[in-house]
Amino acid sequence: MSTVIHLRAETKPFERRSPMSPETAKALIQAGYVIRVERSRERIYNDDEFEGIGAEMVPAGSWLNAPRQDIILGLKELPDDDIPLPHTYIHFQHNFKKQLGWARSLSRFARGGGTLYDLEFLTDQNGRRVAAFGYWAGYSGAAIALLSWAHQVLNPGVTQGPVPVFDNVSVLVQHIKSAIEPAIRINGGQSPRIMVIGALGRCGKGAVDFCLAAGLGQDAILQWDMAETSRGGPFAEIAAVDIFINCVYLGPTPTPPFVTFESLSTQARRLRVICDISCDPNSENNPIPVYSGWSSFDKPTIPSSKPLDGPELRIIAIDHLPTLLPRESSNEYSALLLPSLLSLARREHEGVWRRAEQVYKDRIRDLPQSEQN
Protein backbone atom coordinates (compact mmCIF):
# COMPACT_ATOMS: atom_id res chain seq x y z
CA MET A 1 0.00 0.00 0.00
CA SER A 2 1.35 3.45 -0.95
CA THR A 3 2.23 5.93 1.77
CA VAL A 4 -0.17 8.89 1.79
CA ILE A 5 1.04 12.40 2.64
CA HIS A 6 -1.85 14.77 3.30
CA LEU A 7 -0.80 18.44 2.98
CA ARG A 8 -3.20 20.47 5.10
CA ALA A 9 -4.20 24.09 4.59
CA GLU A 10 -2.65 26.47 7.11
CA THR A 11 -4.93 28.36 9.50
CA LYS A 12 -2.49 30.82 11.07
CA PRO A 13 -3.27 34.37 9.91
CA PHE A 14 -0.99 35.62 7.11
CA GLU A 15 0.72 32.25 6.76
CA ARG A 16 1.29 31.72 3.04
CA ARG A 17 4.20 29.27 3.09
CA SER A 18 4.13 25.54 2.43
CA PRO A 19 6.54 22.76 3.46
CA MET A 20 5.80 21.10 0.11
CA SER A 21 6.06 22.83 -3.27
CA PRO A 22 4.47 21.51 -6.47
CA GLU A 23 7.96 20.51 -7.60
CA THR A 24 8.66 18.42 -4.50
CA ALA A 25 5.13 16.98 -4.60
CA LYS A 26 5.85 15.80 -8.14
CA ALA A 27 9.08 14.13 -6.99
CA LEU A 28 7.19 12.32 -4.21
CA ILE A 29 4.49 11.13 -6.60
CA GLN A 30 7.15 9.82 -8.97
CA ALA A 31 8.66 7.93 -6.02
CA GLY A 32 5.35 6.15 -5.37
CA TYR A 33 3.77 8.33 -2.69
CA VAL A 34 0.14 9.43 -2.81
CA ILE A 35 -0.08 13.19 -2.31
CA ARG A 36 -3.32 14.78 -1.15
CA VAL A 37 -3.40 18.56 -1.00
CA GLU A 38 -6.06 20.59 0.76
CA ARG A 39 -7.33 23.49 -1.28
CA SER A 40 -6.19 26.88 0.01
CA ARG A 41 -6.62 30.45 -1.15
CA GLU A 42 -3.85 31.67 1.17
CA ARG A 43 -1.05 29.29 0.15
CA ILE A 44 1.49 30.93 -2.15
CA TYR A 45 1.16 28.04 -4.61
CA ASN A 46 -2.13 27.98 -6.50
CA ASP A 47 -4.25 24.84 -6.27
CA ASP A 48 -3.87 24.25 -10.00
CA GLU A 49 -0.08 24.10 -9.59
CA PHE A 50 -0.53 20.99 -7.43
CA GLU A 51 -3.36 19.58 -9.53
CA GLY A 52 -1.23 19.95 -12.64
CA ILE A 53 1.46 17.59 -11.31
CA GLY A 54 -1.02 14.89 -10.30
CA ALA A 55 -1.80 15.65 -6.66
CA GLU A 56 -5.25 14.71 -5.39
CA MET A 57 -7.06 17.88 -4.29
CA VAL A 58 -9.24 17.65 -1.16
CA PRO A 59 -11.21 20.19 0.90
CA ALA A 60 -9.52 22.38 3.52
CA GLY A 61 -9.74 20.81 6.97
CA SER A 62 -10.27 17.28 5.66
CA TRP A 63 -7.15 16.08 7.52
CA LEU A 64 -9.32 15.72 10.62
CA ASN A 65 -11.19 12.79 9.05
CA ALA A 66 -8.36 11.34 6.97
CA PRO A 67 -7.60 7.60 7.33
CA ARG A 68 -5.52 7.06 10.44
CA GLN A 69 -2.54 5.72 8.50
CA ASP A 70 -2.22 8.93 6.46
CA ILE A 71 0.62 11.29 7.37
CA ILE A 72 -0.55 14.85 7.99
CA LEU A 73 1.99 17.42 6.79
CA GLY A 74 1.72 21.09 7.67
CA LEU A 75 3.86 24.02 8.67
CA LYS A 76 2.56 25.85 11.73
CA GLU A 77 0.96 24.41 14.85
CA LEU A 78 -2.54 22.94 14.78
CA PRO A 79 -5.56 24.97 15.93
CA ASP A 80 -5.71 25.26 19.71
CA ASP A 81 -8.45 22.96 20.99
CA ASP A 82 -8.77 19.72 22.99
CA ILE A 83 -9.46 17.26 20.16
CA PRO A 84 -7.22 14.17 20.58
CA LEU A 85 -4.85 13.66 17.65
CA PRO A 86 -4.52 10.08 16.32
CA HIS A 87 -2.45 10.52 13.13
CA THR A 88 1.24 10.89 12.38
CA TYR A 89 1.89 14.64 12.09
CA ILE A 90 4.78 16.68 10.68
CA HIS A 91 4.85 20.41 11.48
CA PHE A 92 6.26 23.04 13.86
CA GLN A 93 4.37 22.63 17.14
CA HIS A 94 6.61 24.71 19.47
CA ASN A 95 6.18 22.33 22.41
CA PHE A 96 9.46 20.42 22.71
CA LYS A 97 11.33 23.22 24.50
CA LYS A 98 8.51 23.24 27.07
CA GLN A 99 7.19 26.61 25.99
CA LEU A 100 4.18 28.15 27.67
CA GLY A 101 1.23 25.73 27.45
CA TRP A 102 3.36 22.87 26.10
CA ALA A 103 1.87 20.15 28.31
CA ARG A 104 -1.75 20.81 27.39
CA SER A 105 -0.88 21.07 23.70
CA LEU A 106 1.30 17.95 23.58
CA SER A 107 -1.19 15.89 25.59
CA ARG A 108 -3.54 15.91 22.59
CA PHE A 109 -1.12 13.66 20.72
CA ALA A 110 -0.69 11.36 23.73
CA ARG A 111 -4.45 11.06 24.28
CA GLY A 112 -5.13 10.35 20.62
CA GLY A 113 -2.31 7.87 20.14
CA GLY A 114 -0.69 10.03 17.48
CA THR A 115 2.94 10.84 16.78
CA LEU A 116 4.47 14.27 16.21
CA TYR A 117 7.59 14.75 14.14
CA ASP A 118 8.39 18.38 14.87
CA LEU A 119 10.09 19.99 11.87
CA GLU A 120 12.46 21.84 14.18
CA PHE A 121 13.80 18.50 15.43
CA LEU A 122 14.43 16.74 12.12
CA THR A 123 18.22 16.52 12.33
CA ASP A 124 21.11 14.72 10.70
CA GLN A 125 23.62 12.54 12.55
CA ASN A 126 25.55 15.65 13.60
CA GLY A 127 22.51 17.30 15.15
CA ARG A 128 22.03 19.85 12.36
CA ARG A 129 18.52 20.54 11.14
CA VAL A 130 17.88 19.01 7.73
CA ALA A 131 15.71 21.98 6.69
CA ALA A 132 15.29 25.47 8.10
CA PHE A 133 13.87 28.85 7.14
CA GLY A 134 16.74 30.69 8.85
CA TYR A 135 18.06 32.70 5.91
CA TRP A 136 14.65 34.06 4.95
CA ALA A 137 13.75 34.72 8.58
CA GLY A 138 16.81 36.96 8.87
CA TYR A 139 16.16 38.59 5.52
CA SER A 140 12.52 39.34 6.35
CA GLY A 141 13.26 40.41 9.92
CA ALA A 142 15.80 42.98 8.76
CA ALA A 143 13.30 44.34 6.24
CA ILE A 144 10.60 44.85 8.87
CA ALA A 145 13.13 46.30 11.32
CA LEU A 146 14.19 48.95 8.79
CA LEU A 147 10.54 49.67 8.01
CA SER A 148 9.85 50.14 11.73
CA TRP A 149 12.83 52.44 12.18
CA ALA A 150 11.72 54.60 9.26
CA HIS A 151 8.17 54.74 10.60
CA GLN A 152 9.37 55.95 14.00
CA VAL A 153 11.56 58.64 12.50
CA LEU A 154 8.84 59.87 10.14
CA ASN A 155 5.85 59.39 12.45
CA PRO A 156 6.97 59.79 16.08
CA GLY A 157 4.43 58.52 18.57
CA VAL A 158 2.24 56.89 15.89
CA THR A 159 1.77 53.11 16.07
CA GLN A 160 2.95 51.32 12.95
CA GLY A 161 0.25 49.73 10.78
CA PRO A 162 0.16 46.36 9.01
CA VAL A 163 3.12 45.13 6.97
CA PRO A 164 2.27 45.09 3.24
CA VAL A 165 2.12 41.88 1.23
CA PHE A 166 5.04 41.33 -1.16
CA ASP A 167 5.11 39.00 -4.14
CA ASN A 168 8.87 38.69 -4.44
CA VAL A 169 12.26 39.88 -3.19
CA SER A 170 12.69 42.73 -5.64
CA VAL A 171 9.35 44.31 -4.72
CA LEU A 172 10.22 44.06 -1.01
CA VAL A 173 13.68 45.63 -1.45
CA GLN A 174 12.32 48.52 -3.49
CA HIS A 175 9.58 49.20 -0.94
CA ILE A 176 12.01 49.35 1.97
CA LYS A 177 14.43 51.56 0.05
CA SER A 178 11.60 53.99 -0.64
CA ALA A 179 10.55 53.92 3.02
CA ILE A 180 13.97 54.59 4.55
CA GLU A 181 15.19 57.29 2.14
CA PRO A 182 13.04 60.11 3.60
CA ALA A 183 13.80 58.90 7.13
CA ILE A 184 17.53 59.09 6.43
CA ARG A 185 17.11 62.66 5.17
CA ILE A 186 15.26 63.66 8.35
CA ASN A 187 17.96 61.86 10.33
CA GLY A 188 20.53 64.32 9.03
CA GLY A 189 21.50 62.10 6.12
CA GLN A 190 22.67 59.40 8.51
CA SER A 191 21.72 55.77 7.81
CA PRO A 192 20.56 53.68 10.75
CA ARG A 193 23.32 51.78 12.53
CA ILE A 194 22.45 48.12 12.89
CA MET A 195 23.81 45.34 15.10
CA VAL A 196 23.29 41.72 14.09
CA ILE A 197 24.13 39.10 16.72
CA GLY A 198 24.56 35.64 15.22
CA ALA A 199 25.84 37.21 12.01
CA LEU A 200 27.79 34.14 10.86
CA GLY A 201 24.77 31.82 10.78
CA ARG A 202 22.23 31.49 7.98
CA CYS A 203 19.75 33.74 9.77
CA GLY A 204 22.39 36.38 10.39
CA LYS A 205 23.60 36.17 6.80
CA GLY A 206 20.04 36.78 5.63
CA ALA A 207 19.74 39.85 7.84
CA VAL A 208 23.06 41.28 6.64
CA ASP A 209 22.25 40.53 3.00
CA PHE A 210 18.98 42.43 3.21
CA CYS A 211 20.61 45.46 4.83
CA LEU A 212 23.14 45.54 1.98
CA ALA A 213 20.41 45.07 -0.63
CA ALA A 214 18.53 48.00 0.89
CA GLY A 215 21.53 50.24 0.26
CA LEU A 216 23.23 50.31 3.66
CA GLY A 217 27.00 50.15 3.65
CA GLN A 218 29.08 47.54 5.44
CA ASP A 219 30.18 50.20 7.94
CA ALA A 220 26.55 50.65 9.07
CA ILE A 221 26.24 46.97 10.06
CA LEU A 222 27.91 45.77 13.24
CA GLN A 223 28.25 42.00 12.83
CA TRP A 224 28.70 40.01 16.04
CA ASP A 225 28.93 36.30 16.64
CA MET A 226 30.41 33.96 19.25
CA ALA A 227 33.75 35.75 19.48
CA GLU A 228 32.12 39.06 20.38
CA THR A 229 29.52 37.60 22.76
CA SER A 230 31.75 35.10 24.56
CA ARG A 231 32.32 37.49 27.47
CA GLY A 232 28.62 37.33 28.30
CA GLY A 233 26.01 40.06 28.30
CA PRO A 234 24.36 42.38 28.76
CA PHE A 235 26.15 44.43 26.12
CA ALA A 236 26.25 48.20 26.40
CA GLU A 237 27.04 48.42 22.66
CA ILE A 238 23.45 47.45 21.78
CA ALA A 239 22.02 50.66 23.25
CA ALA A 240 24.33 52.66 20.96
CA VAL A 241 22.84 51.35 17.67
CA ASP A 242 19.49 52.19 16.08
CA ILE A 243 18.39 48.63 15.32
CA PHE A 244 19.34 45.38 17.04
CA ILE A 245 18.59 42.09 15.24
CA ASN A 246 18.92 38.90 17.27
CA CYS A 247 19.64 35.90 15.05
CA VAL A 248 20.90 33.50 17.72
CA TYR A 249 19.10 30.15 17.82
CA LEU A 250 17.54 29.66 21.23
CA GLY A 251 18.70 26.30 22.55
CA PRO A 252 18.25 24.50 25.88
CA THR A 253 21.32 26.08 27.50
CA PRO A 254 20.72 29.36 29.36
CA THR A 255 22.25 32.38 27.66
CA PRO A 256 23.23 35.51 29.61
CA PRO A 257 20.88 38.30 28.50
CA PHE A 258 22.05 40.45 25.62
CA VAL A 259 20.04 43.39 26.95
CA THR A 260 18.26 44.23 30.20
CA PHE A 261 16.16 47.20 31.27
CA GLU A 262 19.19 48.42 33.19
CA SER A 263 21.53 48.18 30.18
CA LEU A 264 19.04 50.14 28.07
CA SER A 265 18.43 52.81 30.71
CA THR A 266 21.17 55.10 29.53
CA GLN A 267 20.86 58.70 28.39
CA ALA A 268 22.99 57.86 25.37
CA ARG A 269 20.57 55.20 24.07
CA ARG A 270 19.91 55.41 20.32
CA LEU A 271 18.22 52.02 20.08
CA ARG A 272 14.70 52.27 18.68
CA VAL A 273 14.02 48.80 17.26
CA ILE A 274 14.74 45.25 18.44
CA CYS A 275 13.93 42.45 16.02
CA ASP A 276 14.04 39.17 17.92
CA ILE A 277 14.05 36.53 15.21
CA SER A 278 14.45 33.72 17.77
CA CYS A 279 11.18 35.00 19.22
CA ASP A 280 10.57 32.88 22.31
CA PRO A 281 9.56 35.53 24.87
CA ASN A 282 8.27 33.18 27.56
CA SER A 283 11.35 30.96 27.68
CA GLU A 284 13.55 31.26 30.75
CA ASN A 285 16.49 31.20 28.31
CA ASN A 286 15.30 34.22 26.32
CA PRO A 287 18.36 36.53 25.95
CA ILE A 288 16.12 39.56 25.36
CA PRO A 289 14.00 39.67 28.53
CA VAL A 290 12.52 43.12 27.90
CA TYR A 291 9.23 42.00 26.34
CA SER A 292 6.68 39.28 27.08
CA GLY A 293 4.48 38.71 24.03
CA TRP A 294 4.35 38.37 20.29
CA SER A 295 3.71 40.82 17.50
CA SER A 296 2.10 40.03 14.14
CA PHE A 297 2.06 41.22 10.55
CA ASP A 298 -1.06 43.23 11.39
CA LYS A 299 0.65 44.79 14.42
CA PRO A 300 4.36 44.32 13.69
CA THR A 301 5.77 45.92 16.84
CA ILE A 302 5.04 45.88 20.55
CA PRO A 303 6.46 48.10 23.31
CA SER A 304 8.90 46.89 25.93
CA SER A 305 7.19 45.42 28.98
CA LYS A 306 8.46 48.34 31.10
CA PRO A 307 8.66 51.99 30.00
CA LEU A 308 12.07 53.46 29.24
CA ASP A 309 13.24 57.05 29.07
CA GLY A 310 14.58 58.29 25.75
CA PRO A 311 13.56 57.20 22.24
CA GLU A 312 10.53 54.95 21.96
CA LEU A 313 11.62 51.29 21.89
CA ARG A 314 9.57 48.88 19.77
CA ILE A 315 10.11 45.13 19.53
CA ILE A 316 9.40 42.94 16.50
CA ALA A 317 8.49 39.45 17.70
CA ILE A 318 6.79 37.74 14.75
CA ASP A 319 7.12 33.96 14.89
CA HIS A 320 6.71 33.29 11.14
CA LEU A 321 8.78 36.01 9.52
CA PRO A 322 9.72 34.07 6.34
CA THR A 323 6.11 34.17 5.16
CA LEU A 324 6.86 37.76 4.16
CA LEU A 325 8.55 36.11 1.13
CA PRO A 326 6.51 32.93 0.87
CA ARG A 327 7.52 31.60 -2.54
CA GLU A 328 11.27 32.06 -2.13
CA SER A 329 11.27 30.65 1.39
CA SER A 330 8.94 27.74 0.56
CA ASN A 331 10.90 26.78 -2.54
CA GLU A 332 14.12 26.55 -0.56
CA TYR A 333 12.63 24.84 2.48
CA SER A 334 10.68 22.22 0.55
CA ALA A 335 13.76 21.34 -1.50
CA LEU A 336 15.78 20.85 1.69
CA LEU A 337 13.01 18.75 3.26
CA LEU A 338 12.44 16.54 0.20
CA PRO A 339 15.18 13.93 0.87
CA SER A 340 13.69 13.27 4.30
CA LEU A 341 10.13 13.10 2.96
CA LEU A 342 11.29 10.58 0.37
CA SER A 343 12.33 8.27 3.23
CA LEU A 344 9.00 8.49 5.11
CA ALA A 345 7.83 5.08 3.90
CA ARG A 346 10.73 3.46 5.77
CA ARG A 347 10.88 5.96 8.64
CA GLU A 348 11.29 3.29 11.33
CA HIS A 349 14.74 2.61 9.86
CA GLU A 350 15.76 6.18 8.96
CA GLY A 351 17.87 8.16 11.43
CA VAL A 352 16.23 11.53 10.84
CA TRP A 353 12.78 10.17 11.71
CA ARG A 354 13.97 7.89 14.49
CA ARG A 355 15.74 10.78 16.22
CA ALA A 356 12.70 13.04 15.88
CA GLU A 357 10.38 10.36 17.22
CA GLN A 358 12.65 9.81 20.20
CA VAL A 359 12.44 13.51 21.07
CA TYR A 360 8.66 13.23 20.90
CA LYS A 361 8.63 10.17 23.16
CA ASP A 362 10.93 11.87 25.66
CA ARG A 363 8.63 14.88 25.88
CA ILE A 364 5.57 12.68 26.27
CA ARG A 365 7.28 11.01 29.24
CA ASP A 366 7.82 14.49 30.70
CA LEU A 367 4.10 15.27 30.67
CA PRO A 368 2.50 15.74 34.09
CA GLN A 369 0.38 12.71 35.00
CA SER A 370 -2.75 14.86 34.78
CA GLU A 371 -2.11 15.48 31.07
CA GLN A 372 -1.48 11.89 30.04
CA ASN A 373 -5.07 10.66 30.12
Side-chain angles (χ1 to χ4, degrees), residues 284-302:
E284 62 183 12
N285 297 334
N286 179 20
I288 306 178
V290 297
Y291 74 103
S292 58
W294 289 266
S295 60
S296 66
F297 285 98
D298 282 339
K299 298 178 180 178
T301 66
I302 55 175

Side-chain angles (χ1 to χ4, degrees), residues 85 105-114 360 364 367 371-373:
L85 298 169
S105 179
L106 200 56
S107 71
R108 298 173 62 195
F109 299 89
R111 288 185 283 115
Y360 167 72
I364 290 295
L367 283 173
E371 297 286 1
Q372 295 187 23
N373 301 308

Side-chain angles (χ1 to χ4, degrees), residues 53 66 82 107 115 142 144 169 184 203 209 212 226 238 261 328:
I53 55 87
D82 286 322
S107 71
T115 299
I144 298 175
V169 166
I184 290 173
C203 180
D209 282 355
L212 295 173
M226 293 179 64
I238 293 176
F261 288 110
E328 290 89 347

